[in-house]
Amino acid sequence: MKTPQDAFSDYLTDQNLKMTPQRRLILETMLKQGDHVSSEELYARVKKKDPSIGQATVYRTLKLLSDSGLVEPLDFADGVTRYEPSYGKEHHDHLICERCGKNIEIMDETIERRQEAIAREHGFTLCSHKMYLYGVCPDCRKKGEA
Amino acid sequence: MKTPQDAFSDYLTDQNLKMTPQRRLILETMLKQGDHVSSEELYARVKKKDPSIGQATVYRTLKLLSDSGLVEPLDFADGVTRYEPSYGKEHHDHLICERCGKNIEIMDETIERRQEAIAREHGFTLCSHKMYLYGVCPDCRKKGEA
DNA sequence: TTTCTTGCAAAACTTTTGCACGTTA
DNA sequence: TAACGTGCAAAAGTTTTGCAAGAAA
C-alpha cells in the first residue's frame, strides 16, 4: 500500500495540482497527532514548524486532503469541523462522553449491515454514514456519584 | 399527554421564565410545518405572521425549545443547525439523498439495540445518538443514468 | 414592581475568497 | 513560462450578546 504522502502526491498530480512544502507539512502534522483536530488546532501546530504559514492554507489543504480521501471530516456539533486521518484505516464511528469529551472509536458489523439494508429498502444507494453515540463514560459517572 | 403548548408553558414556569406572544408564535409555527427548518427559515415564516419579530428571538426561543425537549436539533452538516419537533414523537434517524436533499425518517430496532450494547460494553451510559445515512435516492439515480 | 424578554445592532466565530506576489512543474 | 499556490486581509455566513425600552407575573 502506498504511503499517505505518496497517495497525496498522486492525487495532486492527477488533478494537475502541485506539491508544496506547506502541503507536505500540513499532511505530516495531521498524520502525526491528528486525531479529531480542528483547522484552528492544526494551524497552531503547523505554525510552530513554519510560522509563516497562513490559516487559509490550512483550510484549503484540509479540503484537498478531504477530497482525496486521506482525511475524514467529523462533525461533533461543537461548531467546528474536525478531521482525522482515514487513509488505510477502517471505517469507524464514535462514542463520545458528554462530560469530558472522551472519544472512543467503535465499529460494528451488525449496524453496518443494517444500514445497508435500510438504504436498500428505500431504494437508496448508500454512499456513507455518520453515527455518533453520546453518553457518560465510567470515570465521569463515578465523579458524578461521588 | 400534555399538548406541546402546555409542556412549553410548564417548562417556562418551572425555570422562572415567562410565556410571551413571540414564544407562542414560534412554537406554533415550528409545530405546523417545522420539519428540518433552520432558524433562518423559521424566522421567515414567523415574520409573515408578525413582521416585528426579531431574528435573535427566534434563535433564543429555539434554544429554549431545544432545552425543554420539545424540538430536536439536527445536524446535516450543511453549515446551519436545523430543528424538528420531537415532543411525543418516537426517536428516528435520517436517510438523506446527497443529490436532491430528500430526507427520509427511519427507525430500526436492531440498530438501537446494538447501540445500547456497544455503549454498555465500554461502560458508557448512553444518553442519545445521531445517525445519518447518506446515499442517492432512486429518482436521482435514474436521472444520473439518463 | 421586579424580573424577564424583545428588537436592534454590534460582536463573535468559523470558513471562504480576492488579490498581488511567489513557486512549482 | 504557464499555471498553480500562498499569505494577507477582507468578506461571508451563522449564531450570540449588550443594551435600552417594553411586557409578563
Side-chain angles (χ1 to χ4, degrees):
Chain A
M1 183 167 214
K2 278 182 279 193
T3 64
Q5 289 81 353
D6 287 348
F8 192 35
S9 279
D10 290 356
Y11 174 80
L12 293 176
T13 304
D14 201 58
Q15 304 282 313
N16 289 312
L17 303 176
K18 293 165 182 171
M19 182 51 94
T20 66
Q22 290 91 335
R23 287 178 179 170
R24 235 186 301 269
L25 173 58
I26 290 167
L27 173 56
E28 280 312 322
T29 309
M30 185 74 205
L31 291 173
K32 199 171 299 168
Q33 46 177 332
D35 251 24
H36 312 150
V37 285
S38 65
S39 182
E40 194 80 33
E41 288 162 3
L42 188 59
Y43 174 53
R45 286 178 191 174
V46 159
K47 224 172 157 177
K48 283 185 195 155
K49 289 264 179 180
D50 175 0
S52 73
I53 211 162
Q55 170 81 262
T57 301
V58 176
Y59 273 103
R60 288 188 275 231
T61 303
L62 278 171
K63 184 175 278 292
L64 285 177
L65 289 171
S66 217
D67 291 346
S68 67
L70 280 161
V71 309
E72 185 91 13
L74 303 173
D75 187 5
F76 297 162
D78 61 348
V80 299
T81 303
R82 299 179 172 280
Y83 298 85
E84 68 180 8
S86 60
Y87 183 71
K89 307 213 169 154
E90 255 193 285
H91 167 79
H92 60 261
D93 294 298
H94 295 272
L95 173 59
I96 302 156
C97 176
E98 289 192 330
R99 305 251 176 96
C100 67
K102 188 181 302 161
N103 200 303
I104 294 177
E105 302 185 348
I106 56 179
M107 36 198 115
D108 188 85
E109 266 301 318
T110 307
I111 290 180
E112 307 272 323
R113 268 198 304 271
R114 279 302 299 154
Q115 289 173 334
E116 276 293 346
I118 289 166
R120 212 164 36 234
E121 281 163 24
H122 289 86
F124 275 58
T125 309
L126 197 60
C127 302
S128 66
H129 73 262
K130 294 188 309 190
M131 186 175 80
Y132 302 101
L133 306 184
Y134 300 94
V136 181
C137 75
D139 295 348
C140 287
R141 200 175 45 246
K142 260 178 234 149
K143 275 178 212 147
E145 286 163 2
Chain B
M1 184 169 213
K2 276 183 279 193
T3 64
Q5 288 82 353
D6 286 349
F8 192 34
S9 278
D10 290 358
Y11 174 80
L12 293 176
T13 305
D14 200 58
Q15 303 281 313
N16 287 314
L17 302 177
K18 291 165 184 173
M19 182 52 95
T20 67
Q22 289 92 335
R23 288 178 179 170
R24 234 186 301 268
L25 173 59
I26 290 167
L27 173 56
E28 281 312 321
T29 309
M30 185 74 205
L31 291 174
K32 198 171 299 167
Q33 46 178 332
D35 251 25
H36 313 152
V37 287
S38 64
S39 182
E40 195 80 33
E41 288 162 2
L42 188 60
Y43 174 54
R45 288 179 189 172
V46 158
K47 224 170 158 179
K48 282 184 197 156
K49 289 264 180 179
D50 175 1
S52 74
I53 210 163
Q55 171 81 260
T57 301
V58 176
Y59 273 104
R60 287 189 276 231
T61 304
L62 277 172
K63 184 174 278 291
L64 285 177
L65 290 171
S66 216
D67 291 345
S68 67
L70 281 161
V71 310
E72 186 91 11
L74 302 173
D75 187 5
F76 297 162
D78 61 348
V80 301
T81 303
R82 299 178 173 281
Y83 298 85
E84 69 181 7
S86 61
Y87 182 71
K89 307 213 169 155
E90 255 193 283
H91 166 80
H92 61 260
D93 294 300
H94 295 272
L95 172 60
I96 302 156
C97 176
E98 289 192 331
R99 305 253 175 94
C100 67
K102 189 182 300 162
N103 201 302
I104 295 177
E105 301 186 346
I106 56 179
M107 36 198 116
D108 189 86
E109 266 301 318
T110 307
I111 290 181
E112 307 271 324
R113 267 197 304 270
R114 278 303 297 154
Q115 290 174 334
E116 275 293 343
I118 290 167
R120 212 165 35 235
E121 281 164 23
H122 289 87
F124 275 57
T125 308
L126 197 58
C127 301
S128 66
H129 74 261
K130 294 189 309 191
M131 185 175 80
Y132 302 100
L133 306 183
Y134 300 94
V136 181
C137 75
D139 296 348
C140 287
R141 199 174 45 245
K142 259 178 236 151
K143 275 179 214 148
E145 286 163 3

